[in-house]
């Protein structure tokens, strides 16, 4: 049976691939379960120093599998959704809190949950032909997969409300202007650029990246005094890493800095 999500690890980069192109890479219970497995693998495998999310086929993802959503009675669907979102949300949390930075490469259509996946990523690249479609409101649903958490952080609460509640579609340039993606690249260069960025990150101070990711997540929820204490604790932990110690000595000695993710 074809997997919904596949993972390959090479040169310290984990490529997590949405791999059901014939179906448009839809979100259903199987997809959510497999994405959670992939996130666990990436967060626990010491060889992984950056993560690249991408998709195969005509679309990045069509979003929710409507045939799956429309099957059975409404009460049964509610139970199934709670099970699927438990896996999806755990996957998002594991990616978000992993030390390895997450790069996403979005081509063509990204609908529903895949827009939330885009917002979650630390770095988002879009092809020139990419489109981001809210989708949820069309079927009377609200966002999931951290959409209500990350999208306001990326684009602001006003833009997030417009996107979700007016069921908007943003082209790649609009998504970049609004802050959903970092940059737009030519369709034919998307994977090359994303892999290059993932390689650059994989050569960086992995543990420090993890500390910075977690600091950025806490900044909206804490007072300035608390945030500064979190910074102090995090920078002290960085000072204990071999990478930090070696880097400081390399800079003092005017030697090249090499990070090993330790």
């Amino acid at each position: 049976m074809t997997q919904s999500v596949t993972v390959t690890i090479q040169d310290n980069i984990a490529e997590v691939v949405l791999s059901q192109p014939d179906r448009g890479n839809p979100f259903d219970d199987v997809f959510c379960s497999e994405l959670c497995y992939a996130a666990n693998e990436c967060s626990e495998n010491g060889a992984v120093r950056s993560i690249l999310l991408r998709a195969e086929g005509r679309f990045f993802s069509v979003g929710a599998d409507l045939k799956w959503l429309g099957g059975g009675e409404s009460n049964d669907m509610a139970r199934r959704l709670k099970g699927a979102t438990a896996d999806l949300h755990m996957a998002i949390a594991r990616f978000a809190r992993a030390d390895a930075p997450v790069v996403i490469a979005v081509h063509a259509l990204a609908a529903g949950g895949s827009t939330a996946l885009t917002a979650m990523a630390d770095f988002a690249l879009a092809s020139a032909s990419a489109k981001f479609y809210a989708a949820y409101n069309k079927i009377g649903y609200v966002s999931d997969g951290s959409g209500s958490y990350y999208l306001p952080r990326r684009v602001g609460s006003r833009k997030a409300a417009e996107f979700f509640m007016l069921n908007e579609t943003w082209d790649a340039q609009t998504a970049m202007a609004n802050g959903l993606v970092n940059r737009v690249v030519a369709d034919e260069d998307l994977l090359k650029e994303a892999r290059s960025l993932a390689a650059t990150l994989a050569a960086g101070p992995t543990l420090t990246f993890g500390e910075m990711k977690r600091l950025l997540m806490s900044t909206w929820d804490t007072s300035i005094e608390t945030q500064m204490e979190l910074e102090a604790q995090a920078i002290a932990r960085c000072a204990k890493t071999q990478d930090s110690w070696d880097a400081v000595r390399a800079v003092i000695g005017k030697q090249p800095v090499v990070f090993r993710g330790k």
Side-chain angles (χ1 to χ4, degrees), residues 68-82 141:
W68 179 73
L69 286 178
E73 299 296 328
S74 60
N75 287 341
D76 179 56
M77 190 67 251
R79 285 189 290 270
R80 291 162 63 196
L81 273 170
K82 284 185 176 181
Y141 276 41

Side-chain angles (χ1 to χ4, degrees), residues 4-8 15-20 52-56:
S4 299
V5 180
T6 58
V7 183
T8 58
E15 288 202 12
V16 179
V17 184
L18 281 60
S19 52
Q20 283 200 315
L52 172 59
L53 296 176
R54 64 179 183 87
E56 296 176 338

Side-chain angles (χ1 to χ4, degrees), residues 7 27 55 69 95 107 150 175 230:
V7 183
F27 282 40
L69 286 178
F95 283 130
H107 72 280
Y150 273 112
L230 292 174

Side-chain angles (χ1 to χ4, degrees), residues 128-151:
S129 63
K131 293 184 184 300
F132 300 86
Y133 173 44
Y136 296 104
N137 207 33
K138 182 74 172 180
I139 57 172
Y141 276 41
V142 299
S143 64
D144 62 354
S146 77
S148 63
Y149 179 91
Y150 273 112
L151 204 72

Side-chain angles (χ1 to χ4, degrees), residues 35-89:
L35 188 68
C36 188
Y37 178 88
N40 287 337
E41 174 65 18
C42 291
S43 64
E44 285 300 313
N45 190 319
V48 174
R49 295 177 61 190
S50 70
I51 300 164
L52 172 59
L53 296 176
R54 64 179 183 87
E56 296 176 338
R58 181 182 173 191
F59 305 116
F60 184 87
S61 173
V62 296
D65 183 344
L66 296 183
K67 290 183 179 179
W68 179 73
L69 286 178
E73 299 296 328
S74 60
N75 287 341
D76 179 56
M77 190 67 251
R79 285 189 290 270
R80 291 162 63 196
L81 273 170
K82 284 185 176 181
T85 53
D87 284 333
L88 174 62
H89 294 170

Side-chain angles (χ1 to χ4, degrees), residues 91-124:
I92 296 293
R94 294 278 159 77
F95 283 130
R97 296 191 180 279
D99 290 329
V102 178
V103 178
I104 193 168
V106 182
H107 72 280
L109 175 67
S114 57
T115 64
L117 206 60
T118 303
M120 176 278 301
D122 301 298
F123 299 88

Side-chain angles (χ1 to χ4, degrees), residues 205 207-212 215 231-245 262:
L207 300 179
T208 296
F209 285 152
E211 296 286 0
M212 193 70 242
L215 283 172
E231 289 177 339
Q233 296 289 342
I235 203 168
R237 288 192 293 271
C238 289
K240 296 178 182 179
T241 66
Q242 192 65 44
D243 270 348
S244 176
W245 183 246
K262 300 179 180 179

Side-chain angles (χ1 to χ4, degrees), residues 120-228:
M120 176 278 301
D122 301 298
F123 299 88
L125 276 59
S127 69
S129 63
K131 293 184 184 300
F132 300 86
Y133 173 44
Y136 296 104
N137 207 33
K138 182 74 172 180
I139 57 172
Y141 276 41
V142 299
S143 64
D144 62 354
S146 77
S148 63
Y149 179 91
Y150 273 112
L151 204 72
R153 284 164 166 73
R154 304 303 190 203
V155 310
S157 59
R158 294 290 189 191
K159 286 293 182 185
E162 288 181 354
F163 182 72
F164 287 132
M165 298 175 74
L166 297 180
N167 199 36
E168 291 185 337
T169 299
W170 293 348
D171 61 21
Q173 290 295 335
T174 301
M176 182 174 69
N178 288 341
L180 178 59
V181 302
N182 295 86
R183 64 178 185 263
V184 177
V185 300
D187 289 18
E188 62 272 18
D189 294 333
L190 178 64
L191 191 52
K192 176 184 175 182
E193 291 286 332
R195 283 175 169 160
S196 176
L197 176 56
T200 297
L201 293 166
T206 309
L207 300 179
T208 296
F209 285 152
E211 296 286 0
M212 193 70 242
K213 286 173 63 172
R214 291 182 284 274
L215 283 172
L216 290 172
M217 278 193 289
S218 66
T219 188
W220 288 65
D221 305 314
T222 61
S223 67
I224 184 173
E225 292 83 5
T226 299
Q227 187 68 14
M228 288 190 296

